[in-house]
mmCIF file of all heavy atoms in Angstrom:
data_model
loop_
_atom_site.group_PDB
_atom_site.id
_atom_site.type_symbol
_atom_site.label_atom_id
_atom_site.label_comp_id
_atom_site.label_asym_id
_atom_site.label_seq_id
_atom_site.Cartn_x
_atom_site.Cartn_y
_atom_site.Cartn_z
ATOM 1 N N PRO A 32 -0.081 16.506 4.000
ATOM 2 C CA PRO A 32 1.380 16.578 3.669
ATOM 3 C C PRO A 32 2.129 17.215 4.789
ATOM 4 O O PRO A 32 1.520 17.959 5.637
ATOM 5 C CB PRO A 32 1.376 17.445 2.405
ATOM 6 C CG PRO A 32 0.129 18.331 2.511
ATOM 7 C CD PRO A 32 -0.879 17.383 3.182
ATOM 8 N N ARG A 33 3.427 16.957 4.833
ATOM 9 C CA ARG A 33 4.278 17.712 5.858
ATOM 10 C C ARG A 33 4.522 19.112 5.312
ATOM 11 O O ARG A 33 4.358 19.375 4.137
ATOM 12 C CB ARG A 33 5.653 16.993 6.028
ATOM 13 C CG ARG A 33 6.356 16.722 4.807
ATOM 14 C CD ARG A 33 7.576 15.842 5.013
ATOM 15 N NE ARG A 33 8.150 15.416 3.729
ATOM 16 C CZ ARG A 33 9.026 16.007 3.133
ATOM 17 N NH1 ARG A 33 9.463 17.225 3.505
ATOM 18 N NH2 ARG A 33 9.537 15.499 1.924
ATOM 19 N N SER A 34 4.868 19.987 6.257
ATOM 20 C CA SER A 34 5.015 21.383 5.852
ATOM 21 C C SER A 34 6.472 21.890 5.948
ATOM 22 O O SER A 34 6.694 23.104 6.008
ATOM 23 C CB SER A 34 4.099 22.262 6.814
ATOM 24 O OG SER A 34 4.436 21.986 8.187
ATOM 25 N N GLU A 35 7.406 20.949 6.073
ATOM 26 C CA GLU A 35 8.779 21.369 6.191
ATOM 27 C C GLU A 35 9.653 20.248 5.592
ATOM 28 O O GLU A 35 9.285 19.157 5.317
ATOM 29 C CB GLU A 35 9.191 21.498 7.683
ATOM 30 C CG GLU A 35 8.908 20.322 8.548
ATOM 31 C CD GLU A 35 9.289 20.539 9.985
ATOM 32 O OE1 GLU A 35 10.259 21.252 10.272
ATOM 33 O OE2 GLU A 35 8.555 20.030 10.896
ATOM 34 N N GLY A 36 10.895 20.721 5.283
ATOM 35 C CA GLY A 36 11.874 19.786 4.658
ATOM 36 C C GLY A 36 11.819 19.806 3.137
ATOM 37 O O GLY A 36 10.693 20.156 2.609
ATOM 38 N N PRO A 37 12.796 19.281 2.487
ATOM 39 C CA PRO A 37 12.837 19.275 1.068
ATOM 40 C C PRO A 37 11.790 18.426 0.434
ATOM 41 O O PRO A 37 11.499 17.275 1.013
ATOM 42 C CB PRO A 37 14.190 18.863 0.682
ATOM 43 C CG PRO A 37 14.673 18.113 1.888
ATOM 44 C CD PRO A 37 14.093 18.774 3.007
ATOM 45 N N GLY A 38 11.078 18.807 -0.620
ATOM 46 C CA GLY A 38 10.132 17.936 -1.343
ATOM 47 C C GLY A 38 8.776 17.929 -0.570
ATOM 48 O O GLY A 38 7.939 17.079 -0.988
ATOM 49 N N GLU A 39 8.473 18.931 0.240
ATOM 50 C CA GLU A 39 7.192 18.954 1.041
ATOM 51 C C GLU A 39 6.070 19.080 0.001
ATOM 52 O O GLU A 39 4.877 18.622 0.374
ATOM 53 C CB GLU A 39 7.215 20.038 1.981
ATOM 54 C CG GLU A 39 7.416 21.468 1.327
ATOM 55 C CD GLU A 39 7.412 22.548 2.414
ATOM 56 O OE1 GLU A 39 8.590 22.874 2.860
ATOM 57 O OE2 GLU A 39 6.381 23.065 2.661
ATOM 58 N N GLU A 40 6.277 19.657 -1.103
ATOM 59 C CA GLU A 40 5.104 19.926 -2.027
ATOM 60 C C GLU A 40 4.578 18.703 -2.654
ATOM 61 O O GLU A 40 3.405 18.583 -3.174
ATOM 62 C CB GLU A 40 5.522 20.868 -3.152
ATOM 63 C CG GLU A 40 6.668 20.363 -4.139
ATOM 64 C CD GLU A 40 7.977 20.428 -3.508
ATOM 65 O OE1 GLU A 40 8.130 21.012 -2.448
ATOM 66 O OE2 GLU A 40 8.987 19.879 -4.217
ATOM 67 N N ALA A 41 5.336 17.588 -2.573
ATOM 68 C CA ALA A 41 4.858 16.297 -3.168
ATOM 69 C C ALA A 41 4.294 15.388 -2.137
ATOM 70 O O ALA A 41 3.918 14.233 -2.400
ATOM 71 C CB ALA A 41 5.963 15.595 -3.982
ATOM 72 N N SER A 42 4.426 15.738 -0.904
ATOM 73 C CA SER A 42 4.041 14.883 0.288
ATOM 74 C C SER A 42 2.541 14.575 0.300
ATOM 75 O O SER A 42 1.741 15.445 0.126
ATOM 76 C CB SER A 42 4.471 15.560 1.593
ATOM 77 O OG SER A 42 4.054 14.798 2.757
ATOM 78 N N LEU A 43 2.242 13.282 0.613
ATOM 79 C CA LEU A 43 0.867 12.872 0.789
ATOM 80 C C LEU A 43 0.469 12.628 2.186
ATOM 81 O O LEU A 43 -0.660 12.795 2.648
ATOM 82 C CB LEU A 43 0.609 11.545 -0.020
ATOM 83 C CG LEU A 43 0.802 11.617 -1.565
ATOM 84 C CD1 LEU A 43 0.604 10.303 -2.163
ATOM 85 C CD2 LEU A 43 -0.091 12.605 -2.156
ATOM 86 N N GLY A 44 1.432 12.190 3.003
ATOM 87 C CA GLY A 44 1.218 11.923 4.452
ATOM 88 C C GLY A 44 2.535 11.786 5.127
ATOM 89 O O GLY A 44 3.602 11.477 4.530
ATOM 90 N N HIS A 45 2.567 11.970 6.471
ATOM 91 C CA HIS A 45 3.828 11.902 7.241
ATOM 92 C C HIS A 45 3.485 11.485 8.651
ATOM 93 O O HIS A 45 2.386 11.538 9.157
ATOM 94 C CB HIS A 45 4.444 13.300 7.080
ATOM 95 C CG HIS A 45 3.780 14.322 7.956
ATOM 96 N ND1 HIS A 45 2.567 14.864 7.576
ATOM 97 C CD2 HIS A 45 4.059 14.872 9.094
ATOM 98 C CE1 HIS A 45 2.169 15.701 8.408
ATOM 99 N NE2 HIS A 45 3.068 15.806 9.398
ATOM 100 N N ARG A 46 4.582 11.180 9.336
ATOM 101 C CA ARG A 46 4.426 10.864 10.825
ATOM 102 C C ARG A 46 5.726 11.378 11.492
ATOM 103 O O ARG A 46 6.849 11.047 11.072
ATOM 104 C CB ARG A 46 4.267 9.416 11.000
ATOM 105 C CG ARG A 46 4.355 8.989 12.519
ATOM 106 C CD ARG A 46 3.876 7.515 12.638
ATOM 107 N NE ARG A 46 4.575 6.586 11.841
ATOM 108 C CZ ARG A 46 5.596 5.804 12.187
ATOM 109 N NH1 ARG A 46 6.065 6.064 13.451
ATOM 110 N NH2 ARG A 46 6.116 5.018 11.396
ATOM 111 N N SER A 47 5.558 12.203 12.572
ATOM 112 C CA SER A 47 6.650 12.655 13.331
ATOM 113 C C SER A 47 6.936 11.868 14.574
ATOM 114 O O SER A 47 5.925 11.446 15.243
ATOM 115 C CB SER A 47 6.517 14.119 13.671
ATOM 116 O OG SER A 47 6.473 14.947 12.507
ATOM 117 N N PHE A 48 8.101 11.495 14.948
ATOM 118 C CA PHE A 48 8.501 10.876 16.173
ATOM 119 C C PHE A 48 9.920 11.000 16.570
ATOM 120 O O PHE A 48 10.615 11.702 15.757
ATOM 121 C CB PHE A 48 8.157 9.302 15.922
ATOM 122 C CG PHE A 48 8.949 8.619 14.844
ATOM 123 C CD1 PHE A 48 10.014 7.905 15.008
ATOM 124 C CD2 PHE A 48 8.589 8.868 13.470
ATOM 125 C CE1 PHE A 48 10.794 7.315 14.003
ATOM 126 C CE2 PHE A 48 9.228 8.344 12.416
ATOM 127 C CZ PHE A 48 10.334 7.482 12.685
ATOM 128 N N THR A 49 10.253 10.533 17.614
ATOM 129 C CA THR A 49 11.696 10.704 18.123
ATOM 130 C C THR A 49 12.319 9.470 18.517
ATOM 131 O O THR A 49 11.733 8.648 19.209
ATOM 132 C CB THR A 49 11.640 11.673 19.368
ATOM 133 O OG1 THR A 49 11.052 12.936 18.931
ATOM 134 C CG2 THR A 49 13.029 11.983 19.825
ATOM 135 N N GLU A 50 13.540 9.295 17.969
ATOM 136 C CA GLU A 50 14.428 8.128 18.361
ATOM 137 C C GLU A 50 15.747 8.650 18.432
ATOM 138 O O GLU A 50 16.601 8.508 17.535
ATOM 139 C CB GLU A 50 14.278 6.966 17.356
ATOM 140 C CG GLU A 50 12.951 6.214 17.336
ATOM 141 C CD GLU A 50 13.046 4.883 16.615
ATOM 142 O OE1 GLU A 50 14.195 4.302 16.560
ATOM 143 O OE2 GLU A 50 12.111 4.504 16.000
ATOM 144 N N GLY A 51 16.098 9.291 19.515
ATOM 145 C CA GLY A 51 17.431 9.908 19.643
ATOM 146 C C GLY A 51 17.361 11.392 19.132
ATOM 147 O O GLY A 51 17.838 12.385 19.801
ATOM 148 N N VAL A 52 16.913 11.497 17.849
ATOM 149 C CA VAL A 52 16.688 12.746 17.214
ATOM 150 C C VAL A 52 15.244 12.804 16.704
ATOM 151 O O VAL A 52 14.622 11.800 16.601
ATOM 152 C CB VAL A 52 17.655 13.008 16.099
ATOM 153 C CG1 VAL A 52 19.175 13.076 16.665
ATOM 154 C CG2 VAL A 52 17.585 11.925 15.031
ATOM 155 N N ARG A 53 14.803 13.971 16.263
ATOM 156 C CA ARG A 53 13.464 14.068 15.671
ATOM 157 C C ARG A 53 13.438 13.478 14.335
ATOM 158 O O ARG A 53 14.383 13.805 13.525
ATOM 159 C CB ARG A 53 12.994 15.573 15.682
ATOM 160 C CG ARG A 53 11.626 15.726 15.021
ATOM 161 C CD ARG A 53 11.168 17.174 15.062
ATOM 162 N NE ARG A 53 10.052 17.320 14.321
ATOM 163 C CZ ARG A 53 9.827 18.154 13.250
ATOM 164 N NH1 ARG A 53 10.818 18.895 12.844
ATOM 165 N NH2 ARG A 53 8.675 18.220 12.621
ATOM 166 N N LEU A 54 12.488 12.623 14.010
ATOM 167 C CA LEU A 54 12.433 12.045 12.707
ATOM 168 C C LEU A 54 11.077 12.227 12.133
ATOM 169 O O LEU A 54 10.021 12.441 12.855
ATOM 170 C CB LEU A 54 12.671 10.407 12.867
ATOM 171 C CG LEU A 54 13.954 10.028 13.448
ATOM 172 C CD1 LEU A 54 13.982 8.523 13.818
ATOM 173 C CD2 LEU A 54 15.083 10.356 12.536
ATOM 174 N N VAL A 55 11.001 12.172 10.823
ATOM 175 C CA VAL A 55 9.652 12.278 10.071
ATOM 176 C C VAL A 55 9.666 11.237 8.977
ATOM 177 O O VAL A 55 10.607 11.196 8.185
ATOM 178 C CB VAL A 55 9.468 13.718 9.470
ATOM 179 C CG1 VAL A 55 8.186 13.637 8.617
ATOM 180 C CG2 VAL A 55 9.397 14.710 10.537
ATOM 181 N N LEU A 56 8.648 10.378 8.962
ATOM 182 C CA LEU A 56 8.487 9.415 7.910
ATOM 183 C C LEU A 56 7.593 9.980 6.979
ATOM 184 O O LEU A 56 6.428 10.523 7.295
ATOM 185 C CB LEU A 56 7.983 8.117 8.541
ATOM 186 C CG LEU A 56 8.199 6.799 7.709
ATOM 187 C CD1 LEU A 56 9.679 6.535 7.431
ATOM 188 C CD2 LEU A 56 7.532 5.686 8.472
ATOM 189 N N ASP A 57 7.814 9.915 5.618
ATOM 190 C CA ASP A 57 7.038 10.614 4.660
ATOM 191 C C ASP A 57 6.798 9.757 3.434
ATOM 192 O O ASP A 57 7.648 8.969 2.981
ATOM 193 C CB ASP A 57 7.698 11.965 4.271
ATOM 194 C CG ASP A 57 6.826 12.733 3.265
ATOM 195 O OD1 ASP A 57 5.948 13.415 3.655
ATOM 196 O OD2 ASP A 57 7.224 12.636 2.047
ATOM 197 N N LEU A 58 5.592 9.926 2.868
ATOM 198 C CA LEU A 58 5.264 9.392 1.573
ATOM 199 C C LEU A 58 4.896 10.416 0.598
ATOM 200 O O LEU A 58 4.090 11.215 0.840
ATOM 201 C CB LEU A 58 4.052 8.376 1.688
ATOM 202 C CG LEU A 58 3.487 7.756 0.388
ATOM 203 C CD1 LEU A 58 4.532 6.856 -0.305
ATOM 204 C CD2 LEU A 58 2.101 7.019 0.677
ATOM 205 N N SER A 59 5.602 10.415 -0.600
ATOM 206 C CA SER A 59 5.372 11.453 -1.559
ATOM 207 C C SER A 59 5.179 10.741 -2.946
ATOM 208 O O SER A 59 5.622 9.619 -3.215
ATOM 209 C CB SER A 59 6.586 12.315 -1.693
ATOM 210 O OG SER A 59 6.851 13.066 -0.476
#
Side-chain angles (χ1 to χ4, degrees):
R33 56 187 167 89
S34 58
E35 55 182 326
E39 61 183 89
E40 64 281 353
S42 175
L43 299 177
H45 71 288
R46 171 166 58 94
S47 298
F48 57 104
T49 301
E50 288 192 35
V52 298
R53 180 178 171 236
L54 300 169
V55 174
L56 200 59
D57 181 80
L58 172 64
S59 297

